[in-house]
């Protein structure tokens, strides 16, 4: 499925991380948010592997997501 999605992608951005750890996911999130005109986030209330509430709160109050 991953390969099929890659073939259909109009744009692919490769991040400079050796593994898909928390730092890589946070950096990818920042790229996605930076490319958005509008962002609607749906959160189940669980903390997950990163500090989801802090990330959503930071984006909500930043100039990126106004």
């Amino acid at each position: 499925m991953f390969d099929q999605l890659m073939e259909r992608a109009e744009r692919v951005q490769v991040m400079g991380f050796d593994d898909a750890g928390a730092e890589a996911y946070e950096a990818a999130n920042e790229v996605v948010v930076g490319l958005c005109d509008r962002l609607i986030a749906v959160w189940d209330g669980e903390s997950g592997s990163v500090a989801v509430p802090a990330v959503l709160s930071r984006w909500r109050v930043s100039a990126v997501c106004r």
Side-chain angles (χ1 to χ4, degrees):
M1 181 182 286
F2 177 81
D3 291 334
Q4 291 172 349
L5 291 172
M6 289 292 288
E7 289 173 8
R8 294 175 56 194
E10 292 181 20
R11 178 178 175 188
V12 175
Q13 182 162 344
V14 178
M15 305 294 288
F17 292 90
D18 293 329
D19 59 43
E23 185 181 2
Y25 279 106
E26 186 167 341
N29 289 339
E30 294 292 336
V31 169
V32 169
V33 169
L35 295 172
C36 291
D37 291 327
R38 300 257 190 258
L39 174 68
I40 298 173
V42 179
W43 174 43
D44 65 3
E46 298 294 322
S47 62
S49 61
V50 296
V52 176
V55 170
L56 293 177
S57 178
R58 185 176 75 239
W59 289 340
R60 181 174 49 93
V61 299
S62 73
V64 172
C65 289
R66 290 204 180 238

